[in-house]
Amino acid sequence: MKRIVTLLLALVLAFAMVTCAVAEETEIVVGSIFNVTGDQSSLDAPSQQGFALAIKQINENGGINGRTIRYVTYDGQTDQTVCANNATKLIQNDGALVIAGFSDSDYANAAGAVAQAAGVPAVFTGATTPDIPDVVGNCAFMTAFGDNVCAYAAASFAYEQLGATTAYVLTDNSMSYTTNLSDYFIEKFEELGGTIVLQDYFSSGDLDFSSQAQRYLAGGEAGIMFMATGPDDASTVIQQFRAAGATAPMISGDGWDADLWSVAGDLANQDIYVATHYSAEDESEVVQSFIAAYTEEYGVAPENAFAALGYDCANVIATAIEMCGDDVTSANIRDQLENIEGLECVTGTITYSAENHVPDKSVVICQAVDGTLAFVANQG
């Protein structure tokens, strides 16, 4: 009897080992890190949901070349050290062949350095500093357009469409995203013939903008106000400047896509514009199919464009994996990413090359109207 039991146990163990081996061979591990808590959560939480939705759809449709994706994700907690440590965990412990995530470049750079050292491709969802691939290395790819493209579009819209010839610029000097955005806006606005009448500063986390508002109003109103802030400060900045008496149109970049109304209320519906990645009013099939699927999955419509960027990022990665055929390795995924050309996504068409890991996409200008962002124009 003992021999029979021993034999049965051995058979069960052998079967389990074979099953695990088969599972490992048929699974492709894709990892992600999103800051679903902390100051970046209003961008990264929807982005993570968009990413997870795309992975679910891919697996439900049979996976990639007969293999399913095993998706592993961690919360970066809006902390660069945590993000870097999670990248190490994904690669060394979970066996991720590619990682994704981040709506801000500071966190993308922190995790990207780890991925680069390991030779693992990192595809960033919403990080927009255009030199990320240069800083991180040849394993880094962006799903979004660069800050330069976004700010240039905002400046062109302000000067050419709104007729603004003077501009006030408010800059959060604690983030590379916001300092880059304001620098690019100023560069383009002055190139077009506009004049910057005043540039003022603050640091993320400041809650009182009364001194900045008063300095701005003391010199008389400008034709446009460019507000280079992160998502958490947007509604407060709008509320305090409008309450102080500033009436000029305001425009900002994609960070303002998250929340404009929580503090400002109806004041956010007064001449507020956002240069961003897509519009929910786009009637194309790819956009409307994404919105319908996201709404069904989560019970709410996509909160902002970062949900769409997360969705697109997952499909970019899946496309590169599919192009690998049977040779699915980190190195080959990286190489195949460079061969993606004309991939139609929710936020535009994506093409990479060996020379360029930043997609060249147009910018959508939206206006805050009755609690939503209404499409105004494609710019750039």
Side-chain angles (χ1 to χ4, degrees):
M1 180 61 71
K2 289 183 179 179
R3 290 180 180 176
I4 293 174
V5 171
T6 302
L7 179 60
L8 287 173
L9 288 173
L11 289 171
V12 169
L13 180 59
F15 178 77
M17 293 176 64
V18 170
T19 301
C20 286
V22 170
E24 289 178 0
E25 289 177 1
T26 59
E27 289 182 337
I28 300 166
V29 182
V30 172
S32 77
I33 308 163
F34 288 96
N35 294 312
V36 297
T37 58
D39 290 346
Q40 285 287 305
S41 61
S42 60
L43 305 181
D44 268 17
S47 193
Q48 193 278 332
Q49 292 192 156
F51 193 93
L53 172 62
I55 297 296
K56 179 182 179 181
Q57 290 178 332
I58 291 164
N59 282 336
E60 288 179 344
N61 290 325
I64 304 172
N65 297 330
R67 300 173 67 180
T68 58
I69 295 175
R70 180 160 66 88
Y71 175 43
V72 183
T73 186
Y74 293 107
D75 179 9
Q77 303 174 28
T78 313
D79 183 301
Q80 293 181 45
T81 300
V82 173
C83 291
N85 290 340
N86 282 337
T88 299
K89 189 186 303 182
L90 280 170
I91 295 166
Q92 294 185 359
N93 297 352
D94 299 306
L97 299 180
V98 56
I99 65 174
F102 306 114
S103 301
D104 182 83
S105 304
D106 293 332
Y107 308 98
N109 286 336
V114 175
Q116 181 69 36
V120 172
V123 187
F124 302 119
T125 52
T128 50
T129 302
D131 64 355
I132 287 177
D134 296 326
V135 172
V136 172
N138 66 351
C139 287
F141 295 78
M142 293 166 55
T143 307
F145 49 59
D147 291 328
N148 53 338
V149 174
C150 182
Y152 290 166
S156 296
F157 177 77
Y159 189 86
E160 297 167 358
Q161 304 301 319
L162 297 182
T165 57
T166 57
Y168 164 78
V169 178
L170 178 67
T171 305
D172 177 352
N173 59 10
S174 67
M175 292 194 296
S176 59
Y177 161 69
T178 46
T179 56
N180 286 337
L181 206 64
S182 62
D183 287 346
Y184 288 127
F185 177 88
I186 291 169
E187 175 190 328
K188 185 65 174 180
F189 194 74
E190 290 181 336
E191 177 187 303
L192 291 168
T195 301
I196 307 300
V197 295
L198 176 65
Q199 183 174 13
D200 212 341
Y201 302 90
F202 74 99
S203 292
S204 181
D206 292 349
L207 300 176
D208 184 358
F209 298 94
S210 57
S211 59
Q212 289 91 341
Q214 291 306 315
R215 279 194 291 271
Y216 163 66
L217 290 169
E221 293 242 37
I224 190 74
M225 305 170 70
F226 185 74
M227 308 306 225
T229 86
D232 284 357
D233 296 309
S235 194
T236 302
V237 165
I238 292 169
Q239 190 275 329
Q240 293 191 22
F241 270 77
R242 286 289 187 248
T247 61
M250 293 184 191
I251 191 168
S252 189
D254 55 323
W256 272 32
D257 195 288
D259 173 37
L260 302 179
W261 296 273
S262 61
V263 176
D266 189 57
L267 293 175
N269 298 319
Q270 299 178 17
D271 268 345
I272 307 296
Y273 297 89
V274 179
T276 188
H277 303 272
Y278 97 123
S279 168
E281 295 181 358
D282 186 333
E283 296 182 354
S284 66
E285 182 180 352
V286 65
V287 171
Q288 293 306 314
S289 293
F290 159 70
I291 292 172
Y294 190 97
T295 304
E296 180 179 359
E297 181 71 15
Y298 300 112
V300 295
E303 294 85 350
N304 50 50
F306 291 85
L309 285 167
Y311 185 83
D312 286 349
C313 180
N315 282 304
V316 164
I317 290 171
T319 299
I321 292 173
E322 183 178 22
M323 293 166 66
C324 288
D326 294 332
D327 182 23
V328 183
T329 62
S330 290
N332 202 17
I333 293 171
R334 194 219 72 85
D335 291 346
Q336 296 306 326
L337 282 164
E338 289 186 344
N339 292 327
I340 289 177
E341 182 175 357
L343 179 65
E344 185 180 7
C345 295
V346 178
T347 60
T349 301
I350 292 181
T351 295
Y352 299 121
S353 68
E355 295 75 29
N356 188 15
H357 291 187
V358 184
D360 182 16
K361 299 189 289 188
S362 63
V363 178
V364 175
I365 306 295
C366 292
Q367 182 176 6
V369 179
D370 296 330
T372 63
L373 290 175
F375 174 81
V376 176
N378 275 312
Q379 191 78 35

